[in-house]
Amino acid sequence: MPLNPIFNKLLETDFSSMYTSLSIDQLREYYKKSWDDFKGDIIEVGTVTNRTVRTSKRDTPIRIYNPKTEGIHPVFIWIHGGGFIFGSMDVYDSICRKITNNVDCTVIAMDYGLSPEHKFPEPGEECYQVIKWVYENAKDLNIQPDKIAIGGDSVGGTLTAAITQLSRDRREFPIAYQIEINAMFDLLGKTKPLSRAENAKGYRLETKEIEGWFVPNYLNDLSEADNPIASPLLADDFSNLPAACIITSEYDPLRDEGEHYAKKLSEAGAEVCLKRYDGIIHGFFNMQRTVEEARDALNLVCMKLKEAFHSEK
């Protein structure tokens, strides 16, 4: 269907020129402020606590959102987007609060180390170690260790997919459910996703910047893109992975690799909910204030988490 006209004003901005005219710090500040007119309102939850988890990579800030109800709760661990270079848990604070209340679960967000200061595989390993810490400290956190779900937007979804594969292979903690929204599963497009050509330019996130700026700033060497922990779609084995909710957008260069990953999971026996939002661009999920489809996607995420947490499997 045609591009939703709600994005017309946003797409008048020449995002491509910013990558050559601004410094990393300036881009990070712009990214942070750019969400102010789009992200949802801050709603009250039971409690919000900021803590730090010591990992082998760095001391990682985390934020724990507890619901208003008493008892031991399931936990959803959120990994923010931003192309490995931008973003923070502050940007998605309103999302985490809504999930906390709507699902009646604990939500934990984290600020993993950004690239190029922290290159592959540091961010994924850091996130993995935070989740392991959550599992090992479940009693103190008042959460159910057998009901840990993880998810993220954009590269937060990329890291989510990598961590579910690592969790399966290392067997150090279980993942009950995974959620990937507009995620990048094939860093340099080795599988030739058609959407990287169809949506290469003009829809905010552009293929040229993905492959020529974001990915090179994340990887130490482009050959690392072949590693399935960097590009989860390139894994040899998709068996014994948790059920998933995968959300894609019609006008996103990353659309097809997300749908390809959903197919791989389904063929390997995982239960998969795949939903494509037509007329929509990359990054829409955090546009809760302005985009109806963003609110619908959040409702879908909450519904799938409720189902996963209340499943007897």
Side-chain angles (χ1 to χ4, degrees), residues 15-17 19-20 200-201 204-216:
F15 295 103
S16 181
S17 66
Y19 298 113
T20 56
K201 186 175 177 61
R204 189 165 179 258
L205 178 65
E206 301 190 350
T207 300
K208 180 178 68 174
E209 276 71 48
I210 294 171
E211 299 176 3
W213 194 80
F214 284 102
V215 172

Side-chain angles (χ1 to χ4, degrees), residues 6 15-17 36 38 59 70 89 102 108 111-112 114 117 121 124 138 143-144 146-147 164 220 230 242 264 295:
I6 200 168
F15 295 103
S16 181
S17 66
D36 289 348
F38 299 101
D59 290 346
E70 296 183 357
M89 53 191 177
N102 291 351
I108 299 178
D111 272 348
Y112 55 88
L114 300 176
E117 298 93 330
I143 62 166
Q144 298 170 264
D146 61 335
K147 292 191 176 180
T164 61
N220 302 281
K264 288 283 190 181
R295 297 187 289 273

Side-chain angles (χ1 to χ4, degrees), residues 176-249:
Y177 201 75
Q178 59 179 315
I179 294 172
E180 290 98 358
I181 303 160
N182 288 163
M184 177 163 50
F185 294 94
D186 177 7
L187 265 60
L188 289 177
K190 297 289 183 77
T191 56
K192 305 297 182 186
L194 183 61
S195 58
R196 289 218 183 184
E198 287 183 347
N199 301 325
K201 186 175 177 61
Y203 301 112
R204 189 165 179 258
L205 178 65
E206 301 190 350
T207 300
K208 180 178 68 174
E209 276 71 48
I210 294 171
E211 299 176 3
W213 194 80
F214 284 102
V215 172
N217 270 303
Y218 175 53
L219 300 180
N220 302 281
D221 185 272
L222 292 183
S223 64
E224 291 176 328
D226 294 334
N227 188 322
I229 303 305
S231 298
L233 185 56
L234 303 186
D236 293 326
D237 182 11
F238 295 90
S239 64
N240 300 313
L241 291 171
C245 175
I246 297 177
I247 292 172
T248 64
S249 301

